[in-house]
Amino acid sequence: MAYQMNFTPVMALAPQLVEGALNTLILSGQAIVAGLAIGVVGAVSRTEGPRWLDRAVGVYVELFRNTPLLVQLFLIFFGLPYVGVRLSANMAAIIAIALNLGAYSTEILRAGLQAIPRTQIEAGLALGLSRLQVVRYVVIIPALQIIYPALTGQLTLTLLGSSIASAISATELTAAGARIESTTFRSLETFLCVAVIYIAMTFAFRFVYWRIGMWLFRRKAPPKPSLIADAIEVSRAGA
Amino acid sequence: MPALHISEIKKYFGALLVLDGVSLDIEPSEVVAVIGRSGSGKSTMLRCINGLEKIQAGLIEVAGHRIGPQGGDLRSLRKEVGMVFQSYNLFPHLTVMENVTLAPKVVKGVDRKEAEAIAHDVLRRVGLAEKSGAYADELSGGQQQRVAIARSLAMQPKVMLFDEVTSALDPELTGEVLKTMEELADAGMTMVLVTHEMGFARQVADRTVFMHKGKVWEQGPSEELFANPQTPELRNFIAPSLK
């Protein structure tokens, strides 16, 4: 083991890593917002909508949960141009990741909505609320609270999963790392730096989720994320 | 004109007929107790009145709003009909104040200040004005049930329905809820209460309805009904409580 670590060549290209990290944040941020919006609409459609809508959303969910994200990305980026839809690599990545997250979060949110006792819903209806008002004012917060750890775990996976966008040469962090590696040949140092930046970002995101949880569930706040618990979860998510 | 008009309603759960042509007229300010065995249809009837259960035949009318087998204007009717449940069903993520002001704000569009004024008023009526900042799990069962009553009252309903509201309570907490209900009755609220509290029915209700096999089996002024039951079914049913 005579290998001498040398970060100097990698550090010389640090601005590329910073730019890649920023792009990862922008990419996954947009995908998370869009994916959660799909998830909320999907979950409410499945629980409150007519049967045909439930089925249609079900088909979408099954398609996206039973195919690899990478294949979904290829279909959108390389496949859609054949039917006249040409997207930039970043846009294709956002759409693929958002649709993937939308499918998973539909099911997570649906589990939360269905965990709320019928009696809560009846109490809301008996007060004269419409079904959608019951969902909004009575059901959604306790439902979110139940599935919050599962949901934020999924969001962490989404942030890390954005690295597959490097496969279509989107300009995110993993792609930046690959580029640096190919010019410096310092594979170990480069990807160690990349990994550290991912860890820093997931910790930052988890802190944000925790603050949001504190605000949403003033009544019973979620436990503060611990570094060790996070490290375990991140390593699991990366595996 | 009755405050609540129920005409020949039928309700099936699958093939099982649970309400077999029930008719009932309840006058303004009248307090009616509904008694009967488990499975006699009394809770189902109450749930039909505000449309939590669909009826397959007949008609229900409150303050000009009708529901029938085809449904009806449920939300308008529910604004006039308050309902209190056995399991309280307070919303756990909201404070007492938020529980009480939710429906006036969302359903009636009352502004926050006015909704809170209404809430203070109804919470005072149930004796819990000082608990407005508390959450459900910080209250006893009896207090939760009184908040649930206040929450219904905040919508200023014309009729209040009570579905075995003391059945989940420890005996020592039953009294405070019954007292709240008695005060409501004294204040002239039109009330229908499904209850196992025979003493309360006899003492507070103007009229008692005995349901059996999905039908109104026997009814009359409470004192008379309990003192002089006409059918053997009612006699059997109330015998244990007269000992």
Side-chain angles (χ1 to χ4, degrees), chain A residues 106-151:
Chain A
T106 290
E107 288 306 274
I108 294 173
L109 288 166
R110 178 168 79 132
L113 293 178
Q114 289 178 337
I116 302 303
R118 269 215 64 74
T119 50
Q120 286 280 307
I121 296 163
E122 287 182 350
L125 292 176
L127 284 167
L129 275 67
S130 70
R131 287 205 72 94
L132 282 181
Q133 285 172 337
V134 168
V135 170
R136 178 168 163 206
Y137 295 103
V138 176
V139 173
I140 200 88
I141 295 288
L144 260 183
Q145 194 167 358
I146 293 169
I147 49 84
Y148 202 61
L151 187 65

Side-chain angles (χ1 to χ4, degrees), chain B residues 138-149:
Chain B
E138 297 165 345
L139 302 175
S140 72
Q143 289 171 331
Q144 288 187 53
Q145 196 57 294
R146 283 148 64 199
V147 172
I149 293 172

Side-chain angles (χ1 to χ4, degrees), chain A residues 2 11 30 45 56 60 75 95 100 108 110 135 144-145 166-167 174 229:
Chain A
M11 281 304 133
Q30 289 174 311
S45 301
Y60 153 67
L75 274 174
I95 291 174
N100 188 272
I108 294 173
R110 178 168 79 132
V135 170
L144 260 183
Q145 194 167 358
S166 62
T174 304

